[in-house]
Amino acid sequence: MRPVPWLGVLGSLLIAVAVAVAVTAPWIAPAKPTQLDLRARLAPPAWVDGGKSNHLLGTDNVGRDVLSRVIWGSRISLTVGTAAALLGMLLGSTLGLLAGYFRGGVDAVISWLINVQLAFPFTLLAIFLLGTVGGGFAAVVVVLALATWVNYARIVRGQVLAIRERDYVLAARAVGVPTGRTLLRYILPNTAAPIVVVASFSTAQAILTQAALSFLGVGIDPSVPSWGAMLDEGRNYLQSAWWIAVFPGLAIALTVLGVNLLGDWLRDWLDPKSAA
Amino acid sequence: MSALSEAIALKVHYAVGAPAWRSRAGPGRVVRAVDGVDLQIAAGETVALVGESGCGKSTLGRALLRLEEPTAGVVRFEERDLTTLSAEHLRQRRAAMRMVFQDPFSSLNPRMRIGEALAEPLLVHGLCNSRSARERVAEMLDVVGLDRRVAARYPHEFSGGQRQRVAIARAVIGNPRFVVADEPLSALDISVQAQILDLFADLKDRFALTYLFVSHDLAVVRHVADRVAVMYLGRIVEMGAAEDVFARPAHPYTQALLDAVPVPDPTRERARIIGRLQGELPSPMAPPSGCRFHPRCPRAMSICQRDDPSLLPVASGQAVACWLYAPEGGAPAAERTPVSLASP
Ligand SMILES: Nc1ncnc2c1ncn2[C@@H]1O[C@H](COP(=O)(O)OP(=O)(O)O)[C@@H](O)[C@H]1O
Ligand SMILES: [Mg+2]
């Protein structure tokens, strides 16, 4: 028996709560996220002097309920974060795998792409792309995947360069295992641990970048509540109405923490040496 | 009788360092790991390949299975030239020719269960479906002396000896005909080496296998080999029936190897060999002129520094590459006088 992975449990719990909130938003949110209460603009949280009992976490500058917006905002942040991280993983891991295994010309082309991506200011690229194709959920996910694939590609390429020299890869060839199967059954599983780690911080990065894009006005329509957009709106009121930015910020922080703890635990769990 | 596995004028050179066009230090250097080898292995025999570490044994073994790209020469298996085969045809030939590696801790995929690893050769060659593969794997585990239940476990749960049993099972499952075993005992505890050696012998009888058995342990070789090939710096310097080579070693290098009484400690044994021979093993990047062994040879003659001897039959039955045995007239008598190696 190995010890209970408490941090992993905590991470799973945080993610589970975030997902549950996103799924049940229409039922648990006290108000519509876009509903204005102009008489209660900038109301503080209920437990602070001047707080209103019908706005538990206060209201923003146009009187929208912060709690309801945090609850609804989880939907965009979680789906965009997850979808972008997965798409980036698929793209980046595949390219990293091919570059590391085949080396030569394939590697030269993919490494060039990686360097171009790293050298190019991402925000500029995002503004350009979203400006030409227009915003919207799918476009934002693709753009965020374009921002994160490099993380996977670099780490997977490096791992594969080392793993392809191991005896068990030569042994696979000696037995007659075809190349595709070697990549999928001998090499990819041995890069799983770093991929999981990159996935956890890339999800966090995607959630935060999505926020920045909303702020720049090229992402998802800012009237659709998302944690990132709320954070940016709240920045102007940090002195006078801290709750507008702090609660979505807290939601992001806890979710990102949950993703990272879960990723850490998953990495250990994926290691056959610890599975005994 | 025709050979099962055959190398003809085989060379395998490795380029080391940066390629010539991007290196400031001039053209990249070349390691002549295998540098002109002819070898025939007949079906059913066990050929032992011996020689000091770094002389090219592993490279030759891998090249016979076409796991290395030959720089020159030909490698054949069952009469077919492996060097001209397409990648897919070569892959299919691998059903019949296999390899056991030296280090059982690195030759098994850490993320594959033993059962999956053993089923792999059966599945990739379409020898059976995954259901009957499970049965074949269980039978093979019996044969190599492991519990059937180990199929569900991962390599890290096993000792070196047990892992080598798994690696051997993987090399012989699906009825291959030829197995190259590259120092399969040297990473194992002395106490399990004998058991693994017995396993090799048992499998050879059971499955009618042909072995190329690479080893630096002459006591082991004496035990298993029908024929012995002695390698020095990328060349075979002596080859013959095991009895002949052990009873009447012809090449001064073989004599030096045999003079080193086996000590149950490879590093000490190696030290003894080196101690008896003069000087260090030269670099395979710059092999000596003439006979490659001449700088260390106690019986070197002037011709040895200049001309490269070829592998020719001698009276005692084996073939030797040494000017001492050159047929009459092969070299002028004056050149056969020993040269002193003490003075430069
Ligand atoms: N992949 C490689 N690249 C460069 N040099 C190599 C490579 N493999 C082996 N060599 C070199 O070739 C020579 C022969 O190596 P090897 O065949 O492993 O010898 P042995 O098995 O007899 O110890 C050594 O000098 C070794 O350093
Ligand atoms: Mg070797």
Side-chain angles (χ1 to χ4, degrees), chain A:
Chain A
M1 279 298 293
R2 31 180 186 155
V4 179
W6 290 113
L7 289 176
V9 170
L10 178 63
S12 318
L13 218 64
L14 286 169
I15 301 300
V17 168
V19 170
V21 164
V23 170
T24 59
W27 298 282
I28 61 172
K32 281 216 179 78
T34 48
Q35 185 181 322
L36 311 181
D37 184 351
L38 290 173
R39 280 164 308 166
R41 283 168 24 181
L42 297 175
W47 63 88
V48 177
D49 271 354
K52 296 196 160 41
S53 58
N54 59 338
H55 297 300
L56 199 58
L57 300 184
T59 60
D60 65 8
N61 54 320
V62 288
R64 294 174 298 195
D65 184 49
V66 170
L67 176 61
S68 303
R69 286 178 71 72
V70 167
I71 289 172
W72 279 92
S74 64
R75 293 191 149 192
I76 290 291
S77 294
L78 291 185
T79 47
V80 167
T82 314
L86 288 178
L87 189 62
M89 182 192 314
L90 196 69
L91 195 67
S93 305
T94 306
L95 291 178
L97 194 61
L98 297 177
Y101 188 77
F102 291 108
R103 302 186 294 189
V106 179
D107 185 26
V109 170
I110 293 171
S111 293
W112 179 80
L113 278 176
I114 291 174
N115 288 328
V116 167
Q117 168 79 72
L118 288 175
F120 204 83
F122 166 73
T123 320
L124 217 60
L125 177 74
I127 292 174
F128 172 75
L129 285 177
L130 292 174
T132 28
V133 303
F137 181 82
V140 168
V141 166
V142 170
V143 165
L144 291 178
L146 287 180
T148 52
W149 74 271
V150 194
N151 303 337
Y152 299 96
R154 283 208 300 179
I155 206 140
V156 170
R157 174 181 173 275
Q159 288 276 313
V160 171
L161 279 174
I163 291 170
R164 74 190 300 289
E165 303 301 329
R166 304 262 165 90
D167 272 355
Y168 60 79
V169 175
L170 182 62
R173 195 149 67 85
V175 150
V177 179
T179 306
R181 192 177 172 102
T182 304
L183 285 170
L184 291 179
R185 309 229 328 149
Y186 291 77
I187 295 183
L188 195 58
N190 286 289
T191 62
I195 288 180
V196 164
V197 174
V198 172
S200 70
F201 77 74
S202 292
T203 307
Q205 185 192 342
I207 289 174
L208 296 172
T209 310
Q210 184 266 321
L213 291 180
S214 303
F215 178 68
L216 290 169
V218 289
I220 293 163
D221 179 357
S223 68
V224 179
S226 76
W227 293 342
M230 292 176 72
L231 200 61
D232 280 317
E233 289 160 11
R235 284 197 320 170
N236 298 330
Y237 299 90
L238 269 184
Q239 298 287 330
S240 52
W242 53 267
W243 54 91
I244 303 179
V246 163
F247 292 114
L250 210 59
I252 292 177
L254 288 175
T255 308
V256 168
L257 177 71
V259 170
N260 282 319
L261 290 177
L262 191 67
D264 239 28
W265 170 71
L266 209 58
R267 185 192 51 188
D268 288 346
W269 180 77
L270 277 171
D271 183 357
K273 287 194 181 63
S274 67

Side-chain angles (χ1 to χ4, degrees), chain B residues 54 57-59 102 182-183 214:
Chain B
K57 305 183 297 293
S58 299
T59 305
Q102 176 169 356
D182 187 3
E183 308 209 32
V214 178

Side-chain angles (χ1 to χ4, degrees), chain B residues 131-153:
Chain B
R131 262 190 64 134
S132 55
R134 211 166 304 150
E135 189 49 36
R136 295 271 294 272
V137 166
E139 286 164 10
M140 187 52 77
L141 285 170
D142 288 342
V143 170
V144 300
L146 292 169
D147 192 304
R148 289 179 169 219
R149 284 168 300 181
V150 309
R153 299 176 41 197

